[in-house]
Amino acid sequence: MKRIMSAIAAATLALTLAACSDDADTNGTSATEEGGQTAEGFLATDLSDIDKVDEIAAMVPEAIAEDGKLTVGTNIFFAPAEFYAPDGVTPQGYDIDMGKAIAQVLGLEFEAQQAEFASIIPGIGTRYEIGIANFTINAERQEAVNMLQYFEAGSAWAVQAGNPDNFDPADVCGKVIGVQSGTYQDEVLADMNTTVCADNPIQVQQLSEQSAVTMRVSSGQIDAMYTDSPVADYAAAITEGQVERVGEVEDSAGFGVVVAKDDQELTDALEAAMNYLMDEGHMDDIFATWGITEGVSTEVAVNPAS
């Protein structure tokens, strides 16, 4: 991405792969300098001009307002959406910046809790108040939670630089493909193995961390990886060209913040806070920090058709 320095990128990849703590302090707020680069070498959007909006904060359910925290389930291994900074402890990424901005509008403290991706939605409303983890919006997830769309992107294939094995996205049956478990792309590969690739199944390598999938691609251990298009682009940047995208972006879809299906109060408060951030240009600023200028929503869609 255009605003990420190569030295920081290399360090971040190494530390992202090494980071494994689920109970580290994940609030990680630090003052930013002009341009979004913090003094410590971390990347973050400057959110200093985002204040509590009283009429929106008044919409927050009483229990959450009294607690003063917005507890967010996330998977901090999916750059550039959410991943660990060079210290291996502090979360950063566009989802992290957005979560902090939402919390500020609501007058709450942002608290990110690291979790396995597939375990976040089952924990919404009990362990976590909301989930922000680059969740692709689909009908199955909407049966379990409310989804508030803030971004749209697609799926993409990525290979080792130069595509030494001549991987063709139109011919994936029998190939060794890496994917983060529990993602939309994981579901697509599973479906392909029961339909078009039933006679020659894809050898799917499911990993809990996207950074580990990227490492296997860059080192040539697998034929390709299948992931969100911004993640594939970021992988190319952070590995300094050791990974490259192949083929066209597929299956463009929305991404959403997830909230408990029966928590209409919190759903309404989040919708208002996110619309405020969009109307004031803050959402565009957040994504621009991470080199993304397309696909950012201008109005929240709650449970859109998928």
Side-chain angles (χ1 to χ4, degrees):
M1 296 299 175
K2 58 186 177 184
R3 297 180 66 182
I4 298 171
M5 294 158 43
S6 59
I8 294 172
T12 300
L13 178 61
L15 286 166
T16 296
L17 291 170
C20 59
S21 173
D22 284 4
D23 10 68
D25 174 11
T26 55
N27 197 36
T29 303
S30 55
T32 57
E33 297 176 350
E34 184 176 348
Q37 192 69 47
T38 69
E40 296 83 0
F42 306 162
L43 190 65
T45 307
D46 184 355
L47 306 176
S48 60
D49 60 342
I50 300 177
D51 298 316
K52 176 183 177 182
V53 180
D54 290 338
E55 58 267 34
I56 299 177
M59 302 171 69
V60 174
E62 184 178 352
I64 297 175
E66 289 180 354
D67 179 59
K69 293 181 180 179
L70 184 65
T71 304
V72 181
T74 188
N75 179 261
I76 315 175
F77 295 97
F78 204 65
E82 48 269 317
F83 64 109
Y84 285 107
D87 65 356
V89 174
T90 306
Q92 62 179 5
Y94 59 75
D95 274 351
I96 299 299
D97 288 347
M98 181 183 68
K100 290 180 179 179
I102 291 171
Q104 287 177 207
V105 172
L106 298 177
L108 301 171
E109 177 187 349
F110 173 81
E111 183 179 275
Q113 293 192 5
Q114 159 60 22
E116 290 288 336
F117 181 83
S119 73
I120 297 173
I121 287 180
I124 297 299
T126 53
R127 184 170 184 180
Y128 319 112
E129 283 146 358
I130 67 172
I132 305 179
N134 224 50
F135 285 106
T136 304
I137 296 172
N138 61 36
E140 181 180 357
R141 288 174 177 162
Q142 287 173 318
E143 290 178 2
V145 291
N146 287 329
M147 305 194 77
L148 289 75
Q149 183 171 329
Y150 60 92
F151 182 49
E152 183 172 327
S155 300
W157 302 90
V159 298
Q160 188 179 32
N163 196 6
D165 296 323
N166 295 314
F167 174 79
D168 181 357
D171 182 23
V172 300
C173 298
K175 301 296 192 297
V176 182
I177 307 298
V179 67
Q180 185 179 23
S181 57
T183 60
Y184 168 75
Q185 291 80 18
D186 187 14
E187 296 171 6
V188 170
L189 294 177
D191 182 67
M192 292 177 71
N193 273 347
T194 64
T195 54
V196 295
C197 294
D199 294 333
N200 185 21
I202 300 165
Q203 299 176 55
V204 181
Q205 292 194 6
Q206 298 169 301
L207 300 171
S208 63
E209 301 166 14
Q210 176 59 40
S211 53
V213 180
T214 299
M215 181 62 77
R216 292 195 183 186
V217 173
S218 65
S219 60
Q221 297 178 54
I222 57 179
D223 293 315
M225 70 179 185
Y226 195 38
T227 187
D228 294 327
S229 52
V231 175
D233 290 338
Y234 186 76
I238 206 155
T239 61
E240 298 182 312
Q242 296 178 51
V243 171
E244 65 181 49
R245 252 180 50 187
V246 292
E248 300 298 321
V249 174
E250 305 171 354
D251 301 330
S252 185
F255 295 85
V257 175
V258 300
V259 195
K261 200 75 175 173
D262 59 356
D263 196 340
Q264 193 59 48
E265 274 189 290
L266 185 54
T267 299
D268 292 343
L270 286 170
E271 180 183 7
M274 293 167 67
N275 274 327
Y276 173 83
L277 294 172
M278 292 172 188
D279 291 344
E280 296 299 316
H282 298 304
M283 197 71 81
D284 284 337
D285 290 343
I286 288 168
F287 278 86
T289 298
W290 300 94
I292 299 170
T293 58
E294 298 179 349
V296 183
S297 299
T298 57
E299 183 178 2
V300 176
V302 181
N303 294 325
S306 57

